[in-house]
Coordinates of all heavy atoms in Angstrom, one line a residue:
M236 N -2.0 -34.2 -14.9 CA -0.9 -33.3 -14.6 C -1.4 -31.8 -14.6 O -2.2 -31.4 -15.4 CB 0.2 -33.4 -15.6 CG 1.5 -32.9 -15.2 SD 2.3 -33.8 -13.8 CE 2.8 -35.3 -14.5
F237 N -1.0 -31.1 -13.6 CA -1.4 -29.7 -13.5 C -0.3 -28.9 -12.9 O 0.7 -29.4 -12.4 CB -2.7 -29.6 -12.7 CG -2.7 -30.1 -11.3 CD1 -2.3 -29.4 -10.2 CD2 -2.9 -31.5 -11.1 CE1 -2.3 -29.9 -8.9 CE2 -2.9 -32.0 -9.8 CZ -2.6 -31.2 -8.7
L238 N -0.4 -27.6 -13.0 CA 0.6 -26.7 -12.5 C 0.3 -26.2 -11.1 O -0.9 -25.9 -10.8 CB 0.8 -25.5 -13.4 CG 1.4 -25.7 -14.8 CD1 1.5 -24.4 -15.6 CD2 2.8 -26.3 -14.7
I239 N 1.3 -26.1 -10.3 CA 1.1 -25.5 -9.0 C 2.1 -24.3 -8.9 O 3.3 -24.5 -9.3 CB 1.5 -26.5 -7.8 CG1 0.4 -27.7 -7.9 CG2 1.4 -25.8 -6.5 CD1 0.8 -28.8 -6.9
S240 N 1.7 -23.2 -8.5 CA 2.5 -22.0 -8.4 C 3.1 -22.0 -7.0 O 2.5 -21.5 -6.0 CB 1.7 -20.8 -8.7 OG 2.6 -19.7 -8.8
C241 N 4.3 -22.5 -6.9 CA 5.0 -22.4 -5.6 C 5.2 -20.9 -5.2 O 5.6 -20.1 -6.0 CB 6.4 -23.1 -5.7 SG 7.4 -22.9 -4.2
P242 N 4.8 -20.5 -4.0 CA 5.0 -19.1 -3.6 C 6.5 -18.6 -3.5 O 6.7 -17.5 -3.5 CB 4.3 -19.1 -2.2 CG 4.3 -20.4 -1.7 CD 4.3 -21.3 -2.9
F243 N 7.4 -19.6 -3.6 CA 8.8 -19.2 -3.6 C 9.5 -19.3 -4.9 O 10.5 -18.7 -5.2 CB 9.5 -20.1 -2.5 CG 8.8 -20.1 -1.2 CD1 8.0 -21.2 -0.9 CD2 8.9 -19.0 -0.3 CE1 7.3 -21.2 0.3 CE2 8.2 -19.0 0.9 CZ 7.4 -20.1 1.2
C244 N 9.0 -20.3 -5.8 CA 9.7 -20.5 -7.1 C 8.9 -20.2 -8.3 O 9.5 -20.1 -9.4 CB 10.1 -22.0 -7.1 SG 11.0 -22.6 -5.7
G245 N 7.6 -20.1 -8.1 CA 6.7 -19.8 -9.3 C 6.1 -21.1 -9.8 O 6.2 -22.2 -9.2
P246 N 5.5 -21.1 -11.0 CA 4.7 -22.2 -11.5 C 5.6 -23.4 -11.9 O 6.7 -23.2 -12.6 CB 4.0 -21.7 -12.7 CG 4.1 -20.2 -12.7 CD 5.2 -19.9 -11.8
R247 N 5.3 -24.6 -11.4 CA 6.0 -25.8 -11.8 C 5.0 -26.9 -12.0 O 3.9 -26.8 -11.5 CB 7.0 -26.2 -10.6 CG 8.0 -25.1 -10.3 CD 9.1 -25.1 -11.4 NE 10.2 -24.3 -11.0 CZ 10.4 -23.0 -11.0 NH1 9.4 -22.3 -11.5 NH2 11.5 -22.4 -10.6
E248 N 5.4 -28.0 -12.6 CA 4.5 -29.1 -12.8 C 4.3 -29.8 -11.5 O 5.1 -29.9 -10.6 CB 5.1 -30.1 -13.8 CG 5.1 -29.6 -15.2 CD 5.4 -30.7 -16.2 OE1 5.4 -31.9 -15.8 OE2 5.5 -30.4 -17.4
E249 N 3.1 -30.4 -11.4 CA 2.6 -31.1 -10.1 C 3.6 -32.2 -9.7 O 3.8 -32.5 -8.5 CB 1.2 -31.6 -10.3 CG 0.7 -32.4 -9.3 CD 0.7 -33.9 -9.5 OE1 0.7 -34.2 -10.7 OE2 0.7 -34.7 -8.6
S250 N 4.3 -32.8 -10.7 CA 5.2 -33.9 -10.4 C 6.4 -33.5 -9.5 O 7.1 -34.3 -8.9 CB 5.7 -34.5 -11.6 OG 6.4 -33.6 -12.4
E251 N 6.6 -32.2 -9.4 CA 7.7 -31.7 -8.5 C 7.3 -31.6 -7.1 O 8.2 -31.4 -6.2 CB 8.2 -30.3 -9.0 CG 8.9 -30.3 -10.3 CD 9.6 -28.9 -10.6 OE1 9.7 -28.1 -9.6 OE2 9.9 -28.7 -11.7
F252 N 6.0 -31.8 -6.8 CA 5.5 -31.6 -5.4 C 5.0 -32.8 -4.8 O 4.7 -33.8 -5.4 CB 4.3 -30.6 -5.5 CG 4.7 -29.2 -6.1 CD1 4.7 -29.0 -7.4 CD2 5.0 -28.2 -5.2 CE1 5.0 -27.7 -7.9 CE2 5.3 -27.0 -5.7 CZ 5.3 -26.8 -7.1
S253 N 5.0 -32.8 -3.5 CA 4.4 -33.9 -2.7 C 3.2 -33.4 -2.0 O 3.2 -32.3 -1.4 CB 5.4 -34.4 -1.7 OG 6.5 -35.0 -2.3
Y254 N 2.1 -34.1 -2.0 CA 0.9 -33.8 -1.3 C 1.1 -34.0 0.1 O 1.5 -35.1 0.6 CB -0.2 -34.7 -1.9 CG -1.6 -34.5 -1.3 CD1 -2.3 -33.3 -1.4 CD2 -2.2 -35.5 -0.5 CE1 -3.5 -33.2 -0.8 CE2 -3.4 -35.4 0.0 CZ -4.1 -34.2 -0.1 OH -5.3 -34.1 0.5
G255 N 0.7 -33.1 0.9 CA 0.8 -33.2 2.4 C -0.5 -33.3 3.2 O -0.5 -33.0 4.3
H256 N -1.5 -33.7 2.5 CA -2.8 -33.9 3.1 C -3.5 -32.6 3.5 O -3.1 -31.6 3.1 CB -2.7 -34.9 4.3 CG -2.1 -36.2 3.9 ND1 -2.8 -37.2 3.3 CD2 -0.8 -36.6 4.0 CE1 -2.0 -38.2 3.0 NE2 -0.8 -37.9 3.4
E257 N -4.6 -32.8 4.2 CA -5.5 -31.7 4.5 C -4.7 -30.6 5.4 O -3.9 -30.9 6.3 CB -6.7 -32.2 5.3 CG -7.7 -31.1 5.7 CD -8.9 -31.6 6.4 OE1 -9.1 -32.9 6.4 OE2 -9.6 -30.8 6.9
G258 N -5.0 -29.3 5.1 CA -4.4 -28.2 5.8 C -5.2 -27.8 7.0 O -6.3 -28.2 7.1
H259 N -4.6 -27.0 7.8 CA -5.3 -26.3 8.9 C -5.8 -27.3 9.9 O -6.8 -27.1 10.5 CB -6.4 -25.4 8.4 CG -5.9 -24.4 7.4 ND1 -5.1 -23.4 7.7 CD2 -6.1 -24.4 6.0 CE1 -4.8 -22.7 6.6 NE2 -5.4 -23.3 5.5
I260 N -5.1 -28.4 10.2 CA -5.4 -29.3 11.3 C -4.6 -28.9 12.5 O -3.4 -29.0 12.5 CB -5.1 -30.8 10.9 CG1 -5.7 -31.2 9.6 CG2 -5.4 -31.7 12.1 CD1 -7.2 -31.3 9.7
A261 N -5.3 -28.3 13.5 CA -4.6 -27.8 14.7 C -4.3 -28.9 15.6 O -5.1 -29.8 15.9 CB -5.6 -26.8 15.3
R262 N -3.1 -28.9 16.1 CA -2.7 -29.9 17.2 C -3.5 -29.6 18.4 O -3.7 -28.5 18.8 CB -1.2 -29.7 17.4 CG -0.7 -30.7 18.4 CD 0.9 -30.7 18.5 NE 1.4 -31.6 19.5 CZ 1.5 -32.9 19.3 NH1 1.3 -33.4 18.2 NH2 2.0 -33.6 20.3
P263 N -3.9 -30.7 19.1 CA -4.7 -30.4 20.3 C -4.0 -29.6 21.3 O -2.7 -29.8 21.6 CB -4.9 -31.8 20.9 CG -4.8 -32.7 19.7 CD -3.8 -32.0 18.8
A264 N -4.7 -28.6 21.9 CA -4.0 -27.7 23.0 C -3.6 -28.5 24.2 O -2.6 -28.1 24.8 CB -5.0 -26.6 23.3
D265 N -4.3 -29.5 24.6 CA -4.0 -30.2 25.8 C -4.0 -31.7 25.5 O -5.0 -32.4 25.7 CB -5.0 -29.9 26.9 CG -4.6 -30.6 28.2 OD1 -3.5 -31.1 28.3 OD2 -5.4 -30.6 29.2
P266 N -2.9 -32.2 24.9 CA -2.9 -33.7 24.4 C -3.2 -34.7 25.4 O -3.8 -35.7 25.2 CB -1.6 -33.8 23.8 CG -1.0 -32.4 23.6 CD -1.7 -31.6 24.5
D267 N -2.8 -34.4 26.7 CA -3.0 -35.4 27.8 C -4.4 -35.6 28.1 O -4.8 -36.6 28.8 CB -2.2 -34.9 29.0 CG -0.7 -35.0 28.8 OD1 -0.2 -35.7 27.9 OD2 0.0 -34.2 29.4
S268 N -5.3 -34.7 27.8 CA -6.7 -34.8 28.1 C -7.5 -35.5 27.1 O -8.7 -35.8 27.3 CB -7.3 -33.4 28.4 OG -7.4 -32.7 27.2
L269 N -6.9 -35.9 26.0 CA -7.7 -36.5 24.9 C -7.9 -38.0 25.2 O -7.0 -38.7 25.7 CB -7.0 -36.4 23.6 CG -6.8 -35.0 23.0 CD1 -6.2 -35.0 21.6 CD2 -8.2 -34.3 22.9
S270 N -9.1 -38.5 24.8 CA -9.4 -39.9 24.8 C -8.7 -40.6 23.6 O -8.3 -39.9 22.7 CB -10.9 -40.2 24.8 OG -11.4 -39.8 23.6
D271 N -8.7 -41.9 23.6 CA -8.2 -42.6 22.5 C -8.9 -42.3 21.2 O -8.4 -42.1 20.1 CB -8.2 -44.1 22.7 CG -7.2 -44.6 23.8 OD1 -6.3 -43.7 24.1 OD2 -7.2 -45.7 24.2
A272 N -10.3 -42.2 21.4 CA -11.1 -41.9 20.2 C -10.8 -40.5 19.7 O -10.8 -40.2 18.4 CB -12.6 -42.0 20.6
E273 N -10.6 -39.5 20.6 CA -10.3 -38.2 20.1 C -8.9 -38.1 19.5 O -8.7 -37.4 18.5 CB -10.3 -37.2 21.3 CG -11.7 -37.0 21.8 CD -11.8 -36.3 23.2 OE1 -10.9 -36.5 24.0 OE2 -12.7 -35.5 23.4
W274 N -7.9 -38.9 20.0 CA -6.6 -39.0 19.3 C -6.7 -39.6 17.9 O -6.1 -39.1 17.0 CB -5.6 -39.8 20.1 CG -4.7 -39.0 21.0 CD1 -4.7 -39.0 22.4 CD2 -3.7 -38.0 20.6 NE1 -3.8 -38.1 22.8 CE2 -3.2 -37.5 21.8 CE3 -3.3 -37.6 19.4 CZ2 -2.2 -36.5 21.7 CZ3 -2.3 -36.6 19.3 CH2 -1.8 -36.1 20.5
A275 N -7.5 -40.6 17.8 CA -7.7 -41.3 16.5 C -8.3 -40.3 15.6 O -7.9 -40.2 14.4 CB -8.6 -42.5 16.7
D276 N -9.3 -39.5 16.0 CA -9.9 -38.5 15.2 C -8.9 -37.5 14.7 O -8.9 -37.1 13.5 CB -11.1 -37.8 15.9 CG -11.9 -36.9 15.1 OD1 -12.4 -37.4 14.1 OD2 -12.0 -35.7 15.4
Y277 N -8.1 -37.0 15.6 CA -7.0 -36.0 15.3 C -6.0 -36.6 14.3 O -5.7 -35.9 13.3 CB -6.3 -35.5 16.5 CG -5.0 -34.8 16.2 CD1 -5.1 -33.5 15.6 CD2 -3.8 -35.4 16.5 CE1 -3.9 -32.8 15.4 CE2 -2.6 -34.7 16.3 CZ -2.7 -33.4 15.7 OH -1.5 -32.8 15.4
L278 N -5.6 -37.8 14.5 CA -4.5 -38.4 13.6 C -5.0 -38.9 12.3 O -4.3 -38.8 11.3 CB -3.9 -39.5 14.4 CG -3.0 -39.2 15.6 CD1 -2.6 -40.4 16.4 CD2 -1.9 -38.3 15.2
F279 N -6.2 -39.5 12.3 CA -6.6 -40.2 11.0 C -7.8 -39.7 10.3 O -7.9 -40.0 9.1 CB -6.8 -41.7 11.4 CG -5.7 -42.3 12.1 CD1 -5.8 -42.7 13.4 CD2 -4.5 -42.5 11.4 CE1 -4.7 -43.3 14.0 CE2 -3.4 -43.1 12.0 CZ -3.5 -43.5 13.4
M280 N -8.7 -39.0 10.9 CA -9.9 -38.6 10.3 C -9.7 -37.3 9.5 O -9.3 -36.3 10.0 CB -11.1 -38.5 11.3 CG -11.3 -39.7 12.0 SD -11.7 -41.2 11.0 CE -13.2 -40.7 10.3
R281 N -9.9 -37.4 8.2 CA -9.7 -36.2 7.3 C -10.9 -36.1 6.4 O -11.6 -37.1 6.1 CB -8.4 -36.4 6.5 CG -7.2 -36.4 7.3 CD -6.9 -35.1 8.0 NE -5.7 -35.1 8.8 CZ -5.6 -35.3 10.1 NH1 -6.8 -35.4 10.8 NH2 -4.5 -35.2 10.7
K282 N -11.1 -34.9 5.9 CA -12.2 -34.6 5.0 C -11.8 -35.2 3.6 O -10.6 -35.3 3.3 CB -12.4 -33.1 4.8 CG -12.9 -32.4 6.0 CD -12.9 -30.9 5.8 CE -13.3 -30.2 7.1 NZ -13.0 -28.8 7.0
N283 N -12.7 -35.6 2.9 CA -12.5 -36.2 1.5 C -13.5 -35.6 0.6 O -14.4 -36.3 0.1 CB -12.5 -37.7 1.5 CG -12.1 -38.3 0.2 OD1 -11.4 -37.6 -0.5 ND2 -12.5 -39.5 0.0
P284 N -13.5 -34.2 0.4 CA -14.6 -33.6 -0.3 C -14.5 -33.8 -1.8 O -13.4 -34.0 -2.4 CB -14.4 -32.2 0.0 CG -13.0 -32.0 0.2 CD -12.5 -33.3 0.8
K285 N -15.7 -33.8 -2.5 CA -15.7 -33.7 -3.9 C -16.0 -32.2 -4.2 O -17.1 -31.8 -4.2 CB -16.8 -34.5 -4.4 CG -16.9 -34.6 -5.9 CD -18.0 -35.6 -6.4 CE -18.0 -35.7 -7.9 NZ -19.1 -36.7 -8.3
G286 N -14.9 -31.4 -4.3 CA -15.0 -30.0 -4.4 C -13.8 -29.3 -3.9 O -12.7 -29.8 -3.9
W287 N -14.0 -28.1 -3.3 CA -12.9 -27.3 -2.8 C -12.3 -27.9 -1.5 O -13.0 -28.4 -0.6 CB -13.3 -25.9 -2.6 CG -13.6 -25.2 -3.9 CD1 -14.8 -24.9 -4.4 CD2 -12.6 -24.8 -4.8 NE1 -14.6 -24.4 -5.6 CE2 -13.3 -24.3 -5.9 CE3 -11.2 -24.9 -4.9 CZ2 -12.7 -23.8 -7.1 CZ3 -10.6 -24.4 -6.0 CH2 -11.3 -23.8 -7.1
H288 N -10.9 -27.9 -1.5 CA -10.2 -28.5 -0.4 C -9.0 -27.7 -0.1 O -8.3 -27.3 -0.9 CB -9.8 -29.9 -0.8 CG -9.4 -30.8 0.3 ND1 -8.3 -31.6 0.3 CD2 -9.9 -31.0 1.6 CE1 -8.2 -32.3 1.4 NE2 -9.1 -31.9 2.2
Y289 N -8.8 -27.4 1.2 CA -7.5 -26.7 1.6 C -6.5 -27.8 2.0 O -6.7 -28.7 2.8 CB -7.8 -25.9 2.9 CG -8.7 -24.8 2.6 CD1 -10.1 -24.8 3.1 CD2 -8.3 -23.6 2.0 CE1 -10.9 -23.8 2.8 CE2 -9.2 -22.6 1.7 CZ -10.5 -22.7 2.2 OH -11.4 -21.7 1.9
E290 N -5.3 -27.7 1.3 CA -4.3 -28.8 1.4 C -2.9 -28.2 1.7 O -2.7 -27.0 1.3 CB -4.3 -29.5 0.0 CG -5.6 -30.0 -0.4 CD -5.6 -30.5 -1.8 OE1 -4.7 -30.0 -2.7 OE2 -6.4 -31.4 -2.1
R291 N -2.1 -29.1 2.2 CA -0.6 -28.7 2.3 C 0.1 -29.4 1.2 O -0.1 -30.6 0.9 CB -0.1 -29.2 3.7 CG -0.8 -28.6 4.9 CD -0.2 -29.1 6.2 NE 0.0 -30.5 6.2 CZ 0.7 -31.2 7.0 NH1 1.3 -30.5 8.0 NH2 0.9 -32.4 7.0
W292 N 1.1 -28.7 0.6 CA 1.9 -29.2 -0.4 C 3.4 -28.9 -0.1 O 3.6 -27.8 0.5 CB 1.6 -28.7 -1.8 CG 0.3 -29.2 -2.3 CD1 -1.0 -28.9 -2.0 CD2 0.2 -30.3 -3.3 NE1 -1.9 -29.7 -2.7 CE2 -1.2 -30.5 -3.5 CE3 1.1 -31.0 -4.0 CZ2 -1.6 -31.5 -4.4 CZ3 0.6 -32.0 -4.9 CH2 -0.7 -32.2 -5.1
N293 N 4.3 -29.7 -0.5 CA 5.7 -29.5 -0.3 C 6.4 -29.5 -1.7 O 6.1 -30.4 -2.5 CB 6.3 -30.6 0.6 CG 7.8 -30.5 0.7 OD1 8.5 -31.1 0.0 ND2 8.2 -29.6 1.7
H294 N 7.2 -28.5 -2.0 CA 7.9 -28.5 -3.2 C 9.2 -29.4 -3.1 O 10.3 -28.9 -3.0 CB 8.3 -27.0 -3.6 CG 8.7 -26.9 -5.0 ND1 9.1 -25.7 -5.5 CD2 8.8 -27.8 -6.0 CE1 9.4 -25.9 -6.8 NE2 9.2 -27.1 -7.1
A295 N 8.9 -30.7 -3.1 CA 9.9 -31.7 -2.8 C 11.1 -31.7 -3.8 O 12.2 -32.0 -3.4 CB 9.3 -33.1 -2.7
R296 N 10.9 -31.4 -5.1 CA 11.9 -31.4 -6.1 C 12.3 -30.0 -6.5 O 12.6 -29.7 -7.6 CB 11.5 -32.2 -7.2 CG 11.5 -33.7 -6.9 CD 10.8 -34.6 -8.0 NE 10.6 -35.9 -7.5 CZ 9.6 -36.3 -6.8 NH1 8.6 -35.4 -6.4 NH2 9.4 -37.5 -6.4
G297 N 12.2 -29.1 -5.5 CA 12.5 -27.7 -5.7 C 13.0 -27.1 -4.5 O 14.1 -27.6 -3.9
C298 N 12.4 -26.1 -3.9 CA 12.9 -25.4 -2.7 C 12.6 -26.2 -1.4 O 13.2 -25.8 -0.4 CB 12.3 -24.0 -2.6 SG 10.4 -24.0 -2.4
R299 N 11.9 -27.3 -1.5 CA 11.5 -28.1 -0.3 C 10.7 -27.4 0.8 O 10.7 -27.8 1.9 CB 12.8 -28.7 0.3 CG 13.5 -29.6 -0.7 CD 14.7 -30.2 0.0 NE 15.2 -31.4 -0.7 CZ 16.0 -32.3 -0.3 NH1 16.6 -32.1 0.9 NH2 16.3 -33.3 -1.0
R300 N 10.1 -26.3 0.4 CA 9.3 -25.6 1.4 C 7.8 -26.0 1.3 O 7.4 -26.4 0.3 CB 9.5 -24.1 1.2 CG 10.9 -23.7 1.4 CD 11.2 -22.3 1.1 NE 10.7 -21.4 2.3 CZ 10.9 -20.1 2.3 NH1 11.5 -19.5 1.4 NH2 10.5 -19.5 3.4
W301 N 7.2 -25.9 2.5 CA 5.7 -26.2 2.6 C 4.9 -25.0 2.4 O 5.3 -23.8 2.7 CB 5.5 -26.8 4.0 CG 6.0 -28.2 4.2 CD1 7.2 -28.5 4.7 CD2 5.3 -29.4 3.9 NE1 7.3 -29.9 4.7 CE2 6.1 -30.4 4.2 CE3 4.0 -29.7 3.4 CZ2 5.8 -31.8 4.1 CZ3 3.7 -31.0 3.2 CH2 4.6 -32.0 3.6
F302 N 3.7 -25.2 1.8 CA 2.7 -24.1 1.7 C 1.4 -24.7 1.6 O 1.2 -25.9 1.5 CB 3.1 -23.2 0.5 CG 3.2 -24.0 -0.8 CD1 2.1 -24.1 -1.7 CD2 4.4 -24.6 -1.2 CE1 2.2 -24.9 -2.8 CE2 4.5 -25.3 -2.3 CZ 3.4 -25.5 -3.2
N303 N 0.4 -23.9 1.6 CA -1.0 -24.3 1.5 C -1.6 -24.0 0.1 O -1.2 -23.0 -0.6 CB -1.9 -23.5 2.5 CG -1.6 -23.9 3.9 OD1 -1.5 -25.1 4.2 ND2 -1.3 -22.9 4.7
V304 N -2.6 -24.8 -0.3 CA -3.2 -24.7 -1.6 C -4.7 -24.9 -1.4 O -5.1 -25.8 -0.7 CB -2.7 -25.7 -2.6 CG1 -3.5 -25.7 -3.9 CG2 -1.2 -25.4 -3.0
A305 N -5.5 -24.0 -2.0 CA -7.0 -24.3 -2.1 C -7.2 -24.9 -3.5 O -7.1 -24.2 -4.5 CB -7.8 -23.0 -1.9
R306 N -7.5 -26.2 -3.6 CA -7.7 -26.9 -4.9 C -9.0 -27.6 -4.9 O -9.5 -28.1 -4.0 CB -6.5 -27.9 -5.0 CG -6.5 -28.7 -6.2 CD -5.4 -29.7 -6.3 NE -5.5 -30.8 -5.2 CZ -6.1 -31.9 -5.5 NH1 -6.6 -32.2 -6.6 NH2 -6.2 -32.8 -4.5
H307 N -9.6 -27.6 -6.2 CA -10.8 -28.3 -6.4 C -10.4 -29.8 -6.7 O -9.6 -30.0 -7.6 CB -11.6 -27.7 -7.6 CG -13.0 -28.2 -7.7 ND1 -13.3 -29.4 -8.1 CD2 -14.1 -27.6 -7.3 CE1 -14.6 -29.5 -8.1 NE2 -15.1 -28.5 -7.6
T308 N -10.9 -30.7 -6.0 CA -10.5 -32.1 -6.1 C -11.0 -32.8 -7.4 O -10.4 -33.9 -7.7 CB -10.9 -32.9 -4.9 OG1 -12.4 -32.9 -4.8 CG2 -10.3 -32.4 -3.6
V309 N -11.9 -32.3 -8.0 CA -12.4 -32.8 -9.3 C -11.7 -32.2 -10.5 O -11.1 -32.9 -11.4 CB -13.9 -32.7 -9.5 CG1 -14.4 -33.2 -10.8 CG2 -14.6 -33.5 -8.3
T310 N -11.7 -30.9 -10.6 CA -11.1 -30.2 -11.7 C -9.6 -29.9 -11.6 O -8.9 -29.5 -12.5 CB -11.8 -28.9 -12.0 OG1 -11.6 -28.0 -10.8 CG2 -13.3 -29.1 -12.1
H311 N -9.1 -30.0 -10.4 CA -7.7 -29.6 -10.0 C -7.5 -28.1 -10.2 O -6.3 -27.6 -10.2 CB -6.7 -30.4 -10.8 CG -6.8 -31.8 -10.5 ND1 -6.5 -32.4 -9.3 CD2 -7.1 -32.8 -11.4 CE1 -6.7 -33.7 -9.4 NE2 -7.0 -34.0 -10.7
E312 N -8.5 -27.3 -10.3 CA -8.3 -25.8 -10.4 C -7.8 -25.4 -9.0 O -8.3 -25.8 -8.0 CB -9.7 -25.1 -10.6 CG -9.6 -23.6 -10.6 CD -10.9 -22.9 -10.7 OE1 -11.9 -23.6 -10.9 OE2 -11.0 -21.7 -10.5
I313 N -6.8 -24.5 -9.1 CA -6.3 -23.9 -7.9 C -6.7 -22.4 -7.8 O -6.4 -21.7 -8.6 CB -4.7 -24.1 -7.9 CG1 -4.4 -25.5 -7.8 CG2 -4.1 -23.2 -6.7 CD1 -2.9 -25.8 -7.9
R314 N -7.4 -22.1 -6.6 CA -7.8 -20.7 -6.4 C -6.9 -19.9 -5.6 O -6.9 -18.7 -5.7 CB -9.2 -20.8 -5.8 CG -10.3 -21.2 -6.7 CD -11.0 -20.0 -7.3 NE -12.0 -20.4 -8.2 CZ -13.3 -20.5 -7.9 NH1 -13.7 -20.3 -6.7 NH2 -14.2 -20.9 -8.8
A315 N -6.1 -20.6 -4.7 CA -5.2 -19.8 -3.8 C -4.0 -20.7 -3.5 O -4.1 -21.9 -3.3 CB -5.9 -19.4 -2.6
V316 N -2.8 -20.0 -3.4 CA -1.6 -20.6 -2.9 C -1.1 -19.6 -1.9 O -1.0 -18.4 -2.2 CB -0.6 -20.8 -4.0 CG1 0.7 -21.3 -3.4 CG2 -1.1 -21.8 -5.1
Y317 N -0.9 -20.1 -0.6 CA -0.5 -19.1 0.4 C 0.4 -19.9 1.4 O 0.5 -21.1 1.5 CB -1.8 -18.6 1.1 CG -2.8 -19.6 1.6 CD1 -2.8 -20.0 2.9 CD2 -3.6 -20.3 0.7 CE1 -3.7 -20.9 3.4 CE2 -4.5 -21.2 1.2 CZ -4.6 -21.6 2.5 OH -5.4 -22.5 2.9
K318 N 1.1 -19.0 2.2 CA 2.1 -19.6 3.1 C 1.6 -20.2 4.3 O 0.5 -19.9 4.7 CB 3.1 -18.4 3.5 CG 3.9 -17.9 2.3 CD 4.8 -16.8 2.6 CE 5.6 -16.4 1.4 NZ 6.5 -15.3 1.7
M319 N 2.3 -21.1 4.9 CA 1.9 -21.8 6.1 C 1.7 -20.7 7.2 O 2.5 -19.8 7.3 CB 3.0 -22.8 6.6 CG 3.3 -23.9 5.6 SD 2.0 -24.9 5.2 CE 1.9 -25.9 6.6
G320 N 0.7 -20.9 8.0 CA 0.4 -20.0 9.0 C -0.6 -18.9 8.6 O -1.2 -18.3 9.5
D321 N -0.7 -18.7 7.3 CA -1.7 -17.8 6.9 C -3.1 -18.4 6.9 O -3.3 -19.6 6.8 CB -1.5 -17.4 5.4 CG -0.3 -16.5 5.3 OD1 0.3 -16.0 6.3 OD2 0.1 -16.2 4.1
P322 N -4.1 -17.6 7.2 CA -5.5 -18.2 7.3 C -6.0 -18.6 5.9 O -5.6 -18.1 4.9 CB -6.3 -17.0 7.9 CG -5.6 -15.8 7.5 CD -4.1 -16.2 7.5
P323 N -6.9 -19.6 5.9 CA -7.4 -20.0 4.6 C -8.3 -18.9 4.0 O -9.1 -18.3 4.7 CB -8.3 -21.2 4.9 CG -8.6 -21.1 6.4 CD -7.5 -20.3 7.0
P324 N -8.1 -18.7 2.7 CA -8.9 -17.7 2.0 C -10.4 -18.2 1.8 O -10.5 -19.4 1.7 CB -8.2 -17.4 0.7 CG -7.5 -18.7 0.4 CD -7.1 -19.3 1.8
A325 N -11.3 -17.3 1.7 CA -12.7 -17.7 1.4 C -12.7 -18.1 0.0 O -12.2 -17.4 -0.9 CB -13.6 -16.6 1.7
I326 N -13.3 -19.2 -0.3 CA -13.4 -19.8 -1.7 C -14.9 -19.7 -2.1 O -15.7 -20.3 -1.4 CB -12.9 -21.2 -1.8 CG1 -11.4 -21.3 -1.4 CG2 -13.1 -21.8 -3.2 CD1 -10.5 -20.5 -2.3
E327 N -15.2 -19.1 -3.2 CA -16.5 -19.0 -3.7 C -16.8 -20.3 -4.5 O -15.9 -20.8 -5.1 CB -16.7 -17.8 -4.7 CG -16.5 -16.5 -4.1 CD -17.6 -16.1 -3.1 OE1 -18.7 -16.5 -3.4 OE2 -17.3 -15.5 -2.1
P328 N -18.0 -20.9 -4.3 CA -18.3 -22.2 -5.0 C -18.3 -22.0 -6.5 O -18.4 -21.0 -7.1 CB -19.6 -22.6 -4.5 CG -20.1 -21.5 -3.7 CD -19.1 -20.5 -3.5
Ligands
ZN448 ZN1 9.4 -23.9 -4.5

């Protein structure tokens, strides 16, 4: 269990949130031009790092808003919480 600081509500237990998978996945600019393999890559292929990861989270049992988190997947340390649409911050190793 760890704390996530919702940018709208403040720090809450992780159990109040839903994980929304990897952040900053851009929708293809021209979807009609993609091959099946490129669609599969866009829909299903995600990073699974042992280390820092940019993720989307939803405060499902709170304000229900989405935001981004930079979280270490081993230690669960959170270095940044920022709003959707904001660029990912640089994370020092
Ligand atoms: Zn919230």
Side-chain angles (χ1 to χ4, degrees):
M236 199 62 76
F237 55 95
L238 291 178
I239 298 174
S240 186
C241 174
F243 310 100
C244 305
R247 301 287 193 276
E248 288 195 10
E249 175 258 337
S250 61
E251 290 190 15
F252 297 86
S253 293
Y254 176 67
H256 302 280
E257 183 178 346
H259 307 288
I260 304 292
R262 184 172 175 82
D265 185 11
D267 293 334
S268 68
L269 295 184
S270 67
D271 289 346
E273 290 168 328
W274 263 114
D276 185 57
Y277 165 70
L278 292 173
F279 304 115
M280 300 306 291
R281 298 292 181 259
K282 295 175 188 163
N283 187 21
K285 185 176 183 180
W287 290 105
H288 193 224
Y289 295 104
E290 305 169 334
R291 300 182 313 165
W292 285 80
N293 177 264
H294 196 182
R296 290 170 190 82
C298 65
R299 296 183 162 193
R300 296 176 80 174
W301 287 91
F302 55 93
N303 293 308
V304 172
R306 181 181 66 92
H307 196 282
T308 58
V309 176
T310 65
H311 299 298
E312 177 188 352
I313 293 175
R314 286 267 177 92
V316 176
Y317 53 103
K318 294 182 180 178
M319 301 301 284
D321 287 353
I326 299 295
E327 300 289 327

